[in-house]
Amino acid sequence: MSLLSIENVSAGYGEIDIVSEMNLTVAEREIVTIAGTNGAGKSTLVKAIMGLAPRCNGAIAFDGHDLLKLSAEDRISVGISYVPQVANVFAPLTVTENLQLVEAVADQRARIQEIFDLFPALAARRRATAGSLSGGERQQLAFARALMPKPKLILLDEPTAALSPALVLQVLQLIQTLPGLGSAALVVEQRARQCLAISDRGYILDSGRIVMAGEARALLADEQMTKHYLGRA
């Protein structure tokens, strides 16, 4: 059974649909990439799942819950975390304080120590403000915050944006660890080829609609279609 199931979802702003008639699934501990050109509707789809799109119609089910009946806050409580592209940490606060802000954690002190064990670079800078971190460390903190409540699904919106090639590899390696930590990942990513290479399955969007879907390896092997939608390798 799917952990996340989206059926005939349309979402947008005002009367304009940015995504239309979307059908998508994510299984437990699966990495799924959403790729496509700029303006294809990738981020809008993720925001619709999280309850942040102004308008959303259709059906979104998650782990037995009807998400369209839940607020964004309640969607977090049933097991979904969201890492936006920007403003994903609180820059004036320390690393520890950023983690302490995450609610719905039974034993917060013990969980923070578990997080520091997973992210030793953050442990070393636990008293530093998030604004003083490097780009890679800041993304680690964003991931760490998302992992605090032990979510079943993490939504990642452009996690490698504006990072150097070396930091991109670090972030992709972080994404690969998520299934082992008990979380599935739905990733919106401009570096689609690299992200598909670490994914189980993928969806390619164009003008708000899914034009390709399948196993990530098969999508990458379809040279003509990937060249059209993902650019040259």
Side-chain angles (χ1 to χ4, degrees):
M1 293 181 62
S2 298
L3 176 66
L4 175 73
S5 178
I6 295 173
E7 296 183 2
N8 297 319
V9 163
S10 296
Y13 307 88
E15 297 182 356
I16 300 174
D17 282 342
I18 304 299
V19 296
S20 302
E21 300 177 3
M22 286 286 173
N23 292 281
L24 177 151
T25 62
V26 179
E28 291 187 1
R29 304 192 183 205
E30 183 180 39
I31 300 174
V32 176
T33 289
I34 302 176
T37 56
N38 287 332
K42 305 183 297 295
S43 293
T44 298
L45 177 59
V46 171
K47 289 177 181 177
I49 297 168
M50 198 62 219
L52 300 175
R55 179 175 51 77
C56 181
N57 301 306
I60 306 179
F62 173 78
D63 197 28
H65 301 277
D66 181 353
L67 289 190
L68 296 188
K69 294 181 179 179
L70 301 180
S71 66
E73 292 78 10
D74 287 339
R75 296 183 200 203
I76 295 172
S77 69
V78 299
I80 303 176
S81 284
Y82 173 53
V83 180
Q85 179 179 346
V86 296
N88 52 23
V89 298
F90 295 94
L93 302 182
T94 67
V95 168
T96 299
E97 288 168 343
N98 266 271
L99 299 178
Q100 289 172 336
L101 285 178
V102 180
E103 299 178 354
V105 179
D107 188 340
Q108 192 179 72
R109 180 175 297 181
R111 183 58 178 160
I112 289 175
Q113 186 55 54
E114 290 175 356
I115 291 295
F116 282 150
D117 290 341
L118 289 171
F119 298 94
L122 294 182
R125 304 208 61 192
R126 66 182 70 197
R127 294 181 179 85
T129 62
S132 70
L133 301 180
S134 68
E137 290 169 339
R138 189 176 293 208
Q139 280 299 74
Q140 284 191 42
L141 180 55
F143 273 71
R145 281 175 46 81
L147 285 168
M148 274 289 290
K150 299 182 180 180
K152 293 184 177 181
L153 174 66
I154 296 181
L155 306 175
L156 299 165
D157 191 356
E158 303 283 4
T160 71
L163 295 182
S164 68
L167 293 180
V168 168
L169 291 178
Q170 289 183 23
V171 170
L172 293 175
Q173 289 169 354
L174 281 175
I175 295 171
Q176 284 184 290
T177 68
L178 295 178
L181 299 173
S183 298
L186 184 61
V187 190
V188 167
E189 185 51 69
Q190 282 292 330
R191 292 178 171 88
R193 290 180 182 274
Q194 289 173 278
C195 201
L196 282 169
I198 64 161
S199 298
D200 299 292
R201 292 186 302 110
Y203 294 84
I204 297 179
L205 274 57
D206 186 20
S207 301
R209 295 178 182 273
I210 295 171
V211 293
M212 292 181 68
E215 292 187 0
R217 185 177 300 178
L219 292 178
L220 288 171
D222 191 328
E223 183 176 351
Q224 182 176 355
M225 291 295 281
T226 55
K227 185 182 295 184
H228 180 72
Y229 291 107
L230 308 182
R232 294 183 179 275

